[in-house]
Amino acid sequence: MTRRLRSVGILGVRVDDVTLAEALELAAGWLEGDRPRLVVTPNAEFVMRAQWDPAFRKVLNRADLAIPDGFGLVWASRVLGNPIREQVPGTDFAEGLVRLAGDRYRVFFLGAGPGVAAAAARRLQARYPGLRVAGAYPGSPHPEADPEVLGVLEAARPIDILLVAYGAPKQELWLWRNLGRVGAKIGVGVGGAFDFLSGRVPRAPAWLRRAGFDWAFRLAVQPWRWRRQLALPAFALRVLWHRLSGRRAPDRPFPGEEQ
Ligand code: UDP
């Protein structure tokens, strides 16, 4: 795809106005390219953290692609007068990449709880026969563990696509530090995707996600998330406050934080 990405700034965080199909088309080109590409999956929680965590915000704004994982971002872009077209859940993008990989590209599953990455890989292999799993390993997102994890990845080469499930911001910081050393063409922070793809955690039905109520379903199946989810009303209030004070979502808004 030659066209330039259209990006929108939501409270200082870049979100790209891509559909799932467009994001996968970009990824297909990158798999043939010659440098690693970092994909992030911002949602309302990411944006709230980025308000006070400049290192995280920098990675989000400098990534090669920032897909709108959360419905909250689609809502905010509309409220702030610069709408993006659709939500692109990170889990769907991860599965799309696996489909795209076919029997041609090798995928590594890094992160999540013990056995979860391997279970996700097995399930996907059953769904997409021919899928080439380079490996699956929980590892640890802490910088002290980098040499050990990089050793495991080194032994698993070649790796074309690296999916990293350490939750935000650890997975983004991990990729920022290490993606260049892995040799993969695409690295993606996928959050809870392995939990869903392995079948360990049920995913909200599509109609509920489309209606913007993913958070309610997640709260029902993982009630301990309530504290984290306080970021959602805080995000909504902040967006409404911006709107009331006459600000809109700019197109390319990040002085010093662009590529
Ligand atoms: N995780 C991990 N190590 C950590 C922190 C998180 O492997 O130090 C995993 C966790 O098991 C889960 C994933 O990271 O599979 C992200 O989980 P969460 O649901 O919090 O992600 P979200 O999509 O909400 O960012």
Side-chain angles (χ1 to χ4, degrees):
M1 194 156 62
T2 48
R3 103 190 152 78
R4 198 178 153 80
L5 275 179
R6 195 182 88 86
S7 306
V8 170
I10 306 287
L11 308 182
V13 174
R14 173 183 136 226
V15 182
D16 296 327
D17 181 24
V18 282
T19 63
L20 177 59
E22 288 168 356
L24 291 172
E25 201 183 322
L26 265 177
W30 290 344
L31 285 168
E32 295 297 318
D34 55 3
R35 73 169 177 97
R37 305 288 189 150
L38 171 54
V39 182
V40 294
T41 58
N43 59 30
E45 279 177 40
F46 283 48
V47 173
M48 289 314 283
R49 184 176 179 107
Q51 304 303 299
W52 55 267
D53 183 343
F56 182 45
R57 191 178 63 230
K58 187 183 85 174
V59 178
L60 294 179
N61 287 342
R62 289 189 179 175
D64 294 285
L65 179 64
I67 64 172
D69 168 69
F71 181 80
L73 297 186
V74 178
W75 170 81
S77 72
R78 287 179 193 154
V79 169
L80 295 172
N82 196 353
I84 53 179
R85 285 165 295 163
E86 67 178 44
Q87 179 190 6
V88 181
T91 302
D92 293 346
F93 180 68
E95 181 161 353
L97 277 180
V98 162
R99 205 172 47 233
L100 185 69
D103 56 7
R104 180 136 181 245
Y105 298 105
R106 286 162 57 87
V107 186
F108 195 103
F109 298 75
L110 178 66
V116 177
R122 271 197 308 277
R123 271 229 176 170
L124 288 167
Q125 220 158 19
R127 205 173 297 163
Y128 305 101
L131 171 66
R132 299 170 70 197
V133 176
Y137 187 63
S140 157
H142 299 294
E144 314 85 76
D146 285 358
E148 188 255 341
V149 175
L150 287 170
V152 171
L153 294 169
E154 175 72 36
R157 279 187 183 217
I159 299 170
D160 299 296
I161 298 171
L162 175 64
L163 306 178
V164 183
Y166 287 136
K170 291 183 202 148
Q171 60 201 12
E172 287 75 22
L173 298 175
W174 191 97
L175 282 161
W176 187 256
R177 286 197 308 276
N178 297 314
L179 181 59
R181 297 191 250 174
V182 176
K185 294 288 166 56
I186 299 179
V188 194
V190 296
F194 297 168
D195 299 320
F196 298 130
L197 293 171
S198 64
R200 304 276 166 109
V201 175
R203 196 170 172 211
W207 62 270
L208 203 59
R209 283 187 270 126
R210 275 197 298 274
F213 285 97
D214 198 11
W215 60 270
F217 187 88
R218 275 195 109 173
L219 201 55
V221 294
Q222 298 177 311
W224 44 266
R225 297 177 74 92
W226 71 271
R227 200 184 280 279
R228 285 178 49 176
Q229 291 200 342
L230 291 178
L232 302 179
F235 172 78
L237 285 174
R238 204 179 261 252
V239 168
L240 291 170
W241 175 248
H242 266 243
R243 162 72 187 255
L244 287 174
S245 51
R247 281 170 280 184
R248 68 192 292 281
D251 287 324
R252 271 251 165 204
F254 322 102
E257 286 185 1
E258 284 167 289
Q259 294 273 339

